[in-house]
Amino acid sequence: MLFEFGFYSSLLLISFSQGILYSALLLTKAIKTENKSNYWLSLFIFLCSLYIAPWMLGFAGWYDNQPYRDILFYLPLQHLLFIGPIIFFYTQSLLNPNFKFTKKEALHLIPGILYLLYITGMWVYDKLILHEYFFYKNGMDKDFDNWYQKTGLVSIIAYFILSIRYYNSYKKLIYQVVSYADSILFKWIKTYLMAFLIMLLLPIFFDIICYFFPELNSYKGSWWFFLFFSVVMYYIAIVGYSNPINATIPFSMEFNKNPILLLDESPNSVSEEAIIDIEHSYLETTISPEIEQWKVKIESLIREEKLYQNPELNITDVAKKLQTNVAVISKAINQGFKMNFNDFINNYRIEAVKIKFANGEHKQSTLLGIAYDCGFNSKATFNRAFKKNTRISPKEFLNEI
């Protein structure tokens, strides 16, 4: 097989081969762990590897020699209309164990499929009917058409925005239903979205650079763009492969609709009683008698049974003990105490910590040990919650008393 090794082709070959390798590793990991998100990340890395392939093979001499030239012409390698949906599916599968690829999700792939049919139609006409170039008379690969590149970029930006919205809704949900939200607001999801944003900004940044340095607006000049693109891809592949955290809170959500459905352990079991409103108003001045009654019940339960000492306490646990549903408890806490469930429970934990401080237990135990006894599951969460509650750090608080 033809491959002219040189400075430009060799460096992109390294990036391409590493991308294919990590795509295979992620696929293997997905099969072994049955982690759906790794399937989508594997496919994303594979598509990114294919994206740099035309430039790599072009510098390796493929566009100058047959039959390699026709392979590049009629085999689409830059699947821009697939990348956006795939990254959106990855975001959903990473955050929601209930995510499934259904016919509804398949509709997102239609633009990419239509482009494949478009290229196939040109191949049929040129090779099987006309037996000469018609659509490729100008000698340009259709993957590089301006309309396709711009459409692809718009598509990717749109799905990036959808991914951000999905993550923001997830954050609101988590703060409403668990008391350990900080530990499951994955650092990786924010990191990869930031890396993906850099990918999106690269072509825009490169266009600006080319405006001031026109000599970069060439085949060799574009090589730098693909090199930087491959570096970001490589980073996402490595960090994504090492990401050990999986989501544990299943839910269902429709965009432009406020409620989120919190699901129990059995799939497909969604009841109206499980609806969580992630936009409960904390600013309502009047509280209904019903909410006041639930406030008293919730406070009594939390204090008497010291539920806050459970580091994995969630709103379902409270609802079951009070023999009601999570929607009632969520509304009562949001409107009655003007805060979300996570902050509500953390306030009890902080008060318990203060009591231990007042009793001098910090002289016999470490701060972290006291935090764990009161229900916190990490030093970072404890420090963050303590400062939010008191506006000073635990050590500063001890110095004051």
Side-chain angles (χ1 to χ4, degrees), residues 272-277 280 315 319 325-332:
E272 290 299 320
E273 296 180 346
I275 296 179
I276 297 291
D277 188 345
H280 276 314
I315 200 169
N325 59 70
V326 294
V328 170
I329 301 300
S330 179
K331 185 177 181 180

Side-chain angles (χ1 to χ4, degrees), residues 304-320:
E304 292 173 7
E305 298 194 17
K306 296 184 177 181
L307 296 184
Y308 56 84
Q309 291 182 344
N310 176 8
E312 297 183 354
L313 180 70
N314 60 55
I315 200 169
T316 304
D317 299 330
V318 176
K320 286 180 178 178

